[in-house]
């Protein structure tokens, strides 16, 4: 895999460099609530612009249906990128049409343009190789060189991620090079003890990574909504908590295999429960109580790990040499149920080992709870991509850069 440093050494003055970024930021009424992914691509964009390239930045945002949708416009992301760069950024209101060509043709060396949401064109996400290839051909007409730096999308076989690199000289940006280096530390040269914390809503989303980690991790800490399927598999009453009953046989087998392999599988010992799911819009105070994990009332729902669980998790993180965390361990969007996730974040900060926050909701929670991002070993920009890499899958976007 060639890197951007090699490209810069070859020279980019006056060249049109297509940067496939990940500007898929969360929006609330058109306002960006977390600009972490934009800041993550800054080093690559700035290095290219400073070297005199004409930088064409492209990304997806959300899940539009293959046609323009104002709700998913990249304009707010383009404006924020300009603010962070401290320089004007041109914005094209289409992906490969007249506006895109006009914006790119108007670039002077050192200037940056952002084209509209790639998923406004059905060819970006098409499962048909020909349709995807045709869109990649049109994107290739906008550039002389390709730089892949959208780590959050490398697990997708999409036109701008998989097909376009085959049509241009291709290089990995700084973000992708960093992310791959981190993931190798989690898979190939792991310092032990190796502790993994998995949270989030559904255990089915994490089955493949749990299956893989049962042969690699020393400790596996389970929180979030997915924990209740494990607790149910132990024979506990989980009330109206999130439960995937069809996954109980798989979870049971995983617990047995963990014991056989000497992997310490740690579940919550107490939880915060309530009869109603909290209002995430008003953040109104919730009426909850703390119970032992085997004493959840039949009419109540578990919404966060309790104080004893927080202390237990922190103990299992404290002496780890390597820590990977993916998924909040409670409904962290509400202040009354953010305590568990906050405790996990603090435990990572207090750990002297190499700590990785695995993107997605975990990264957003760390930022929203006010933690210093720089105090963690690494905060990934791609939760799904990180998990698939840890599962041992071949990621199309990385394979396209390597070939």
């Amino acid at each position: 895999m060639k890197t951007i440093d090699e490209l810069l050494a070859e020279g980019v003055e006056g060249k049109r460099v297509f940067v496939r970024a990940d500007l898929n930021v969360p929006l609330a009424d058109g306002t960006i609530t977390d600009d972490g992914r934009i800041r993550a691509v800054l080093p690559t964009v700035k290095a290219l612009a400073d070297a005199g390239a004409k930088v064409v930045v492209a990304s997806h945002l959300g899940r539009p249906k293959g046609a323009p949708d104002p709700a998913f416009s990249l304009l707010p992301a383009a404006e924020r990128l300009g603010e962070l760069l401290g320089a004007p950024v041109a914005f094209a209101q289409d992906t490969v049409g007249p506006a895109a060509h006009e914006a790119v043709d108007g670039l002077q060396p050192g200037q940056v343009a952002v084209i509209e949401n790639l998923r406004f064109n059905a060819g970006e996400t098409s499962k048909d190789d020909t349709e995807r290839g045709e869109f990649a051909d049109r994107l290739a007409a906008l550039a002389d060189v390709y730089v892949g730096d959208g780590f959050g999308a490398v697990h997708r076989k999409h036109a701008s991620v998989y097909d376009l690199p085959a049509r241009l000289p291709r290089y990995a940006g700084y973000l992708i090079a960093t992310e791959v280096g981190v993931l190798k530390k989690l898979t190939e040269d792991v310092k032990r003890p190796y502790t993994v914390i998995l949270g989030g809503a559904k255990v089915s989303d994490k089955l493949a990574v749990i299956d893989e980690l049962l042969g690699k991790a020393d400790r596996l800490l389970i929180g979030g909504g997915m924990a209740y399927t494990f607790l149910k598999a132990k024979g506990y009453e989980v009330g109206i908590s999130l439960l995937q009953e069809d996954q109980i046989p798989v979870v049971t087998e995983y617990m047995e295999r963990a014991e056989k392999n000497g992997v310490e599988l740690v579940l919550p010992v107490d939880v915060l429960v309530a009869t109603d799911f909290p209002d995430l819009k008003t953040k109104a105070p919730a009426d909850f109580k703390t119970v032992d994990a085997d004493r959840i009332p039949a009419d109540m729902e578990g919404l966060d790990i309790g104080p004893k669980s927080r202390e237990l998790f922190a103990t299992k993180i404290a002496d780890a040499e390597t820590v990977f965390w993916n998924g909040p361990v409670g409904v962290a969007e509400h202040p009354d149920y953010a305590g568990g996730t906050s405790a996990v974040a603090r435990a990572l900060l207090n750990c002297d080992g190499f700590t990785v926050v695995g993107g997605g909701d975990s990264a957003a929670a760390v930022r929203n709870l006010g933690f210093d991002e720089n105090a963690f070993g690494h905060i990934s920009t791609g939760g799904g991509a990180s998990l698939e890499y840890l599962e041992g899958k071949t990621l199309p976007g990385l394979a396209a850069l390597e070939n």
Side-chain angles (χ1 to χ4, degrees):
M1 185 186 295
K2 288 187 175 182
T3 68
I4 184 174
D5 283 333
E6 294 174 82
L7 171 60
L8 293 171
E10 294 166 8
V12 293
E13 177 78 31
K15 290 184 179 179
R16 300 170 303 164
V17 181
F18 187 103
V19 177
R20 200 332 180 160
D22 179 9
L23 307 181
N24 185 28
V25 291
L27 296 171
D29 299 322
T31 301
I32 297 170
T33 58
D34 180 1
D35 66 358
R37 284 176 169 166
I38 302 174
R39 286 184 284 111
V41 78
L42 273 180
T44 290
V45 173
K46 193 171 187 311
L48 290 167
D50 288 348
K54 300 175 180 180
V55 188
V56 184
V57 180
S59 175
H60 70 285
L61 192 151
R63 297 178 182 272
K65 305 297 184 183
D69 183 338
F72 297 105
S73 175
L74 273 177
L75 180 58
E79 292 174 341
R80 181 58 179 150
L81 178 61
E83 291 171 1
L84 292 169
L85 286 171
V89 168
F91 181 70
Q93 294 183 329
D94 60 30
T95 55
V96 289
H101 282 274
E102 182 179 350
V104 174
D105 291 345
L107 289 175
Q108 296 299 311
Q111 292 184 336
V112 180
V114 174
I115 62 174
E116 186 54 286
N117 192 334
L118 293 164
R119 292 185 182 175
F120 285 1
N121 189 303
E124 169 67 1
T125 59
S126 176
K127 292 187 178 358
D128 182 83
D129 292 348
T130 300
E131 185 178 11
R132 249 190 5 262
E134 288 174 350
F135 183 49
D137 287 339
R138 297 181 70 186
L139 289 171
L142 296 171
D144 306 304
V145 181
Y146 178 92
V147 172
D149 214 31
F151 180 73
V154 293
H155 58 314
R156 306 295 187 192
K157 193 177 180 179
H158 290 170
S160 65
V161 175
Y162 180 75
D163 302 272
L164 180 57
R167 289 158 166 78
L168 295 169
R170 52 199 177 275
Y171 302 81
Y174 289 125
L175 176 61
I176 279 188
T178 298
E179 295 273 14
V180 171
V182 166
L183 288 168
K184 286 184 176 178
K185 286 186 179 181
L186 298 176
T187 54
E188 296 177 13
D189 186 24
V190 182
K191 292 184 178 179
R192 299 183 181 280
Y194 180 17
T195 296
V196 177
I197 309 105
L198 295 177
K202 295 181 179 179
V203 69
S204 56
D205 293 340
K206 307 282 169 70
L207 286 178
V209 75
I210 293 172
D211 184 58
E212 188 71 18
L213 289 169
L214 285 174
K216 293 181 178 177
D218 298 301
R219 300 170 188 148
L220 193 53
L221 283 50
I222 305 292
M226 63 185 287
Y228 301 100
T229 301
F230 280 85
L231 293 172
K232 185 71 172 181
K234 287 175 68 72
Y236 296 170
E237 169 65 61
V238 297
I240 56 172
S241 304
L242 190 61
L243 173 66
Q244 290 186 283
E245 201 140 10
D246 60 321
Q247 301 298 335
I248 289 177
V250 180
V251 164
T252 301
E253 190 271 326
Y254 283 175
M255 289 193 293
E256 292 170 352
R257 184 142 54 96
E259 185 174 3
K260 180 180 177 182
N261 291 354
V263 177
E264 191 177 1
L265 199 154
V266 182
L267 299 175
V269 293
D270 62 342
V271 294
L272 272 55
V273 296
T275 54
D276 298 307
F277 195 82
D279 188 326
L280 300 182
K281 286 188 176 180
T282 66
K283 308 288 175 73
D287 183 16
F288 65 88
K289 65 179 182 178
T290 303
V291 300
D292 288 343
D294 60 351
R295 294 288 186 272
I296 299 175
D299 63 343
M300 302 188 87
E301 176 179 12
L303 295 164
D304 193 13
I305 62 172
K308 289 188 289 187
S309 300
R310 296 168 194 177
E311 186 175 340
L312 173 63
F313 278 30
T315 300
K316 300 300 180 182
I317 293 167
D319 67 342
E321 289 292 331
T322 305
V323 183
F324 175 74
W325 172 32
N326 181 278
V329 296
V331 184
E333 302 95 324
H334 193 282
D336 288 336
Y337 302 116
T341 298
S342 183
V344 170
R346 278 196 303 273
L348 263 69
L349 291 180
N350 293 330
C351 176
D352 292 331
F354 180 58
T355 57
V356 179
V357 180
D361 292 337
S362 315
V366 163
R367 297 186 183 103
N368 293 338
L369 292 170
F371 289 97
D372 178 6
E373 296 176 56
N374 296 321
F376 297 90
H378 179 69
I379 296 183
S380 177
T381 56
S386 295
L387 287 178
E388 290 199 15
Y389 190 101
L390 293 180
E391 290 168 20
K393 290 184 177 179
T394 297
L395 306 188
L398 297 185
L401 291 173
E402 289 169 353
N403 292 342

